[in-house]
Amino acid sequence: MTVEALPLDETFAVPADAAALDRAAAALRENGFVVHIVDTIADARSLLGELLPRDREIFTASSQTLELSGITADIDESGEYVSVRAKAGPPSADVWDTVRLGATPEVVVGSVHAVTEDGHLLAGSASGSQLAPYAAGAKLAYWVVGAQKIVPDVATGLRRIHSYSLPRESARLQERYNQTSFIGRILILEREAFPDRGHVILVREAAGF
């Protein structure tokens, strides 16, 4: 049975305060993630330009944070990077080709739907295409996360996915493609096993949904 999106809860659109962001950052570091804190999404875009390698394959996960900020275009269209999507060419008619496209890149860049104050990352997905590289497929992972995604705990993070991220994504798809979305899979990253693998760029302003 498909779980429908909950009514849109706009409280999840409000950026967390500085104290909550600092608690999340400290907990993420304790859990093995590398944390960068920037003021604006433009600063995050600039920072990624400094951090991302130019000689390793990079996969851009589907993300409104990345698309709206210009980060997706920087990686996939500028010619500066070895883009998995650019090398693959136009999307395949076979949906499984699309799902598997970024399963094991050297580097993945994306976002998540919630970050808890005890240092966990939550990402929801319909197909799960971005979850494989997030979990283990990529040797390096970079997540750009707006401060409105910081929540007290996992339970609140799950509620945020269903009552904010999902209805916002469904509305976007309805307007663009006349279809809605659903949550098929949810990944919870509690701790990073490999030193310097997982980078979380926390943005003090709202970014994406």
Side-chain angles (χ1 to χ4, degrees):
M1 180 178 67
T2 301
V3 178
E4 299 294 335
L6 298 174
L8 181 65
D9 184 348
E10 289 286 2
T11 62
F12 286 120
V14 180
D17 61 25
L21 186 145
D22 287 343
R23 286 193 295 271
L28 286 165
R29 292 186 178 110
E30 183 68 22
N31 289 341
F33 297 96
V34 179
V35 179
H36 313 264
I37 300 176
V38 297
D39 290 331
T40 68
I41 190 63
D43 293 336
R45 183 180 181 182
S46 178
L47 177 61
L48 274 175
E50 299 173 11
L51 295 175
L52 291 178
R54 265 57 174 184
D55 59 348
R56 303 174 73 176
E57 286 193 343
I58 301 176
F59 177 69
T60 50
S62 296
S63 162
Q64 285 299 285
T65 299
L66 267 58
E67 289 186 23
L68 296 175
S69 65
I71 292 170
T72 296
D74 288 345
I75 296 169
D76 293 338
E77 301 173 19
S78 70
E80 284 190 45
Y81 303 92
V82 184
S83 164
V84 171
R85 292 188 185 275
K87 288 179 65 176
S92 170
D94 184 343
V95 66
W96 288 109
D97 287 344
T98 302
V99 169
R100 292 192 299 262
L101 178 64
T104 57
E106 292 190 82
V107 182
V108 66
V109 181
S111 188
V112 294
H113 295 108
V115 175
T116 70
E117 292 183 31
D118 53 356
H120 300 160
L121 307 176
L122 287 76
S125 175
S127 69
S129 60
Q130 74 272 50
L131 303 187
Y134 282 9
K139 294 179 180 178
L140 283 173
Y142 295 86
W143 296 285
V144 181
V145 187
Q148 86 280 17
K149 299 182 180 182
I150 295 174
V151 297
D153 49 39
V154 167
T156 311
L158 293 172
R159 192 167 73 251
R160 186 182 193 280
I161 289 173
H162 286 284
S163 65
Y164 186 74
S165 302
L166 177 56
R168 285 289 305 274
E169 176 66 3
S170 282
R172 184 184 75 86
L173 292 181
Q174 185 69 49
E175 181 178 348
R176 183 173 295 186
Y177 303 112
N178 196 32
Q179 67 181 54
T180 58
S181 189
F182 61 92
I183 298 297
R185 294 150 176 80
I186 294 175
L187 175 69
I188 301 175
L189 297 165
E190 294 193 357
R191 189 174 184 87
E192 179 52 64
F194 303 101
D196 299 323
R197 175 192 180 263
H199 293 247
V200 183
I201 301 175
L202 295 176
V203 186
R204 294 189 185 275
E205 65 181 11
F209 49 75

